[in-house]
Every structure is written in structure tokens, then in C-alpha cells.
Amino acid sequence: MDMLIIVGLFLLGLVFGSFVNAWVWRLGKQLDANGDPKKLTNAQKQQYSITKGRSMCPSCKLQLAPKDLVPLISWLSLKGKCRYCKAKIGKQYPLVELAMAIMFVASYIFWPESLQGTGYILFIGFIITLVPLFVLALYDYKHLILPDKVLVVGIIIYSVFLLAYAVALRDFYIFGTAVLAGIIYFAIFLFIFIASIVAQKKGYTNKDWMGLGDVKLVFLLGLMIGKPTLVIVGMFIASMFGFLVNLPGLISKKETFGSQIPFGPYLIAGAIITILFGQIVLNWYTNILINSI
């Protein structure tokens, strides 16, 4: 294990985590409660653009200096407050930065394929795609919406690296299998989404079983999982996460089985775990079945 790479990935993860926080905040200014673009002036569009806007304090809107933008360190040194207006800066910021850094390092340590030669292509594509995935997870958690434009960015980034990987290996079966996994995952969730609409029309329920954003998200996740056989593993892990995290709320009756919850973060967590450990889990479960027969 190359310690220099681990340190580099940790620092890179902190930087990208800071970028995730900025992207989520700016999206919140650009989109309304339904996820549709707000009517903004040209100046506001410039101000809240992730590519053109300058970093600012969310409270006083003052432009931040480079010393205020050092991931994790700036938050700790300022004790979670803005240097200028002293407004409180939430713990979300350092936690997301740290989580991204840990995820970058964990992905390298537990990457299931060889990282020799062309193996780095898919790994790099994966960690870069983690950025829009973290944005989607955080935005869904805060606003119960999975923005389409972030989904598209994720699909384009990973598809490019996946295709480059297939070209480097001269094996397009890898690309085709990954696309098939995405389609299968998408089809399963589309069926559930349509069944939910039918059930509501017939009066069996008055709640959506899932949002259309989840249906779109799982195509990207299936593409990243890469194998149709592992899609079910990802779906199972996501469901278990969703159930266990919300179980205390169900027990205390603060939530019901019909409560709207952000399922995107669980789907993303399930997919990441499946990408790193899914084949191990599948082999373990298959061995149990074989030995029980």
C-alpha cells in the first residue's frame, strides 16, 4: 500500500468535500422546492454558479479569502464561525469534507480490481463520480430532491471513464455489462414507481412509494456496480440501511411507514458498498445456499 497515494487521496478528498458543500449550497439557491430552476437575475445566476461564483459566507455574503477556505482546518481554527460576521457555520461542512476524504482513501484500500496499468482508469472515474454522488446524497437529505443536472454530470463522467477502460482493455463486454446493469436497476425501480401510481389511482394508497429521481439515480448506480448479479445486492443493502436508520423513528412513532424519507443517500451507500465488497457478499451468500442444500 503506497502511503503517499493514501495521503494524497485524503487531502484531495478534503478539497472535493469542500466543493460538495459549495455545490449543494448553490443548488439550494438555484432550485425551488420542486427542484425546478428559480427565476434569478443575471447577477444572481453569476453569484450562485458553481463554476463562476466566488466563495462567500452563507450568512453575510462576504467573499471569503483563501485562508478561510482551507478544508477542515479553517472551520476548526475559526471554531465553526464566520471570520467576519461570526455567524455559526454548521458541522455539515467539516463532516462532509472528512467523509469524502475517508471515502477516497477507503476506495483505494478496498478497490476490488487490480490498480496496475489500466486498472487506474476505472478507479479514477469512480472517485471523481463520488463527487456528484455526495452532492446528490446531501441534497436529497436536505431537500428530498435529486437534481437532474447533477445526475447527468455523474452519468457522463462515469460513462467516459468506463468506455476509456473498455477501450484500453479492448473488451467492450465490460461496458455492455455495466450498461445492462444500469438498465436492469432502472427497470426495477421504474416498475415500482409505475405500480405506485396505479395503486394511488385505485385508492390503495395515497403515498408515493418512491420518487422519479430515485428511478433515474439507480441507472447511474447500476452502471457503476457494473454487473447485473450485483444489482440485487446493492438494492438489498440500500433497503437495510433505510430500514435500520429509520427504525428508531418508527418505534417512537415520530415516523410511519408512509413517511417521506430521502432514499437517495441509502441507495448511494448501498451501491458504494456493493462496488467495493459486493462480490465478496455474493460469494458468501452463494456458499451458504450451496452448503444448505
Side-chain angles (χ1 to χ4, degrees):
M1 201 66 64
D2 193 325
M3 187 56 64
L4 187 61
I5 292 177
I6 289 176
V7 172
L9 285 171
F10 186 84
L11 295 176
L12 193 63
L14 289 177
V15 172
F16 275 115
S18 179
F19 179 74
V20 166
N21 281 319
W23 197 350
V24 169
W25 181 77
R26 291 175 189 277
L27 276 173
K29 298 297 182 180
Q30 296 171 18
L31 305 177
D32 63 19
N34 297 316
D36 298 319
K38 294 178 181 177
K39 293 182 179 179
L40 302 175
T41 65
N42 289 332
Q44 287 174 322
K45 289 178 181 178
Q46 175 88 13
Q47 183 182 33
Y48 299 133
S49 170
I50 191 61
T51 56
K52 300 176 183 178
R54 302 299 298 272
S55 296
M56 68 182 82
C57 169
S59 298
C60 64
K61 302 297 189 294
L62 280 177
Q63 185 175 316
L64 300 178
K67 63 182 178 181
D68 303 317
L69 299 172
V70 182
L72 199 58
I73 303 300
S74 293
W75 190 90
L76 291 172
S77 65
L78 293 170
K79 298 180 180 180
K81 296 180 180 180
C82 172
R83 185 186 302 275
Y84 310 102
C85 68
K86 305 304 178 184
K88 187 176 180 180
I89 300 173
K91 293 180 181 179
Q92 166 201 312
Y93 290 86
L95 289 177
V96 170
E97 291 166 358
L98 191 57
M100 180 66 82
I102 293 172
M103 194 67 251
F104 272 30
V105 172
S107 299
Y108 174 70
I109 294 173
F110 298 109
W111 189 247
E113 306 294 338
S114 171
L115 287 174
Q116 301 298 318
T118 57
Y120 269 104
I121 297 175
L122 203 57
F123 173 72
I124 293 171
F126 173 75
I127 62 170
I128 293 177
T129 310
L130 283 177
V131 176
L133 284 183
F134 265 62
V135 171
L136 289 166
L138 185 56
Y139 199 86
D140 193 29
Y141 175 76
K142 292 170 70 72
H143 303 285
L144 295 173
I145 292 171
L146 292 162
D148 285 343
K149 63 164 119 181
V150 182
L151 269 169
V152 170
V153 169
I155 291 171
I156 291 173
I157 290 173
Y158 195 77
S159 295
V160 168
F161 279 92
L162 180 62
L163 185 57
Y165 182 62
V167 170
L169 292 178
R170 297 181 181 177
D171 185 359
F172 289 95
Y173 177 79
I174 294 173
F175 185 81
T177 302
V179 172
L180 179 61
I183 292 172
I184 289 173
Y185 212 170
F186 175 84
I188 292 171
F189 271 57
L190 182 61
F191 174 79
I192 297 172
F193 179 76
I194 293 173
S196 171
I197 294 174
V198 172
Q200 287 186 65
K201 286 184 177 180
K202 290 185 176 293
Y204 298 137
T205 180
N206 60 355
K207 300 285 186 179
D208 291 331
W209 294 346
M210 70 174 56
L212 188 57
D214 296 322
V215 179
K216 301 172 188 175
L217 171 63
V218 294
F219 174 76
L220 170 59
L221 300 182
L223 193 70
M224 296 178 71
I225 289 172
K227 297 178 181 178
T229 52
L230 292 179
V231 162
I232 301 301
V233 176
M235 199 162 68
F236 174 76
I237 293 173
S239 300
M240 287 301 298
F241 268 135
F243 176 73
L244 292 174
V245 171
N246 291 281
L247 184 58
L250 293 172
I251 293 174
S252 64
K253 296 184 179 181
K254 292 180 180 180
E255 297 179 6
T256 67
F257 282 101
S259 298
Q260 190 176 11
I261 63 170
F263 197 41
Y266 307 126
L267 287 170
I268 291 168
I272 291 173
I273 292 173
T274 301
I275 291 164
L276 298 179
F277 307 106
Q279 195 59 55
I280 296 173
V281 173
L282 186 61
N283 292 342
W284 170 77
Y285 184 69
T286 302
N287 288 333
I288 289 178
L289 286 179
I290 292 173
N291 293 330
S292 65
I293 295 175

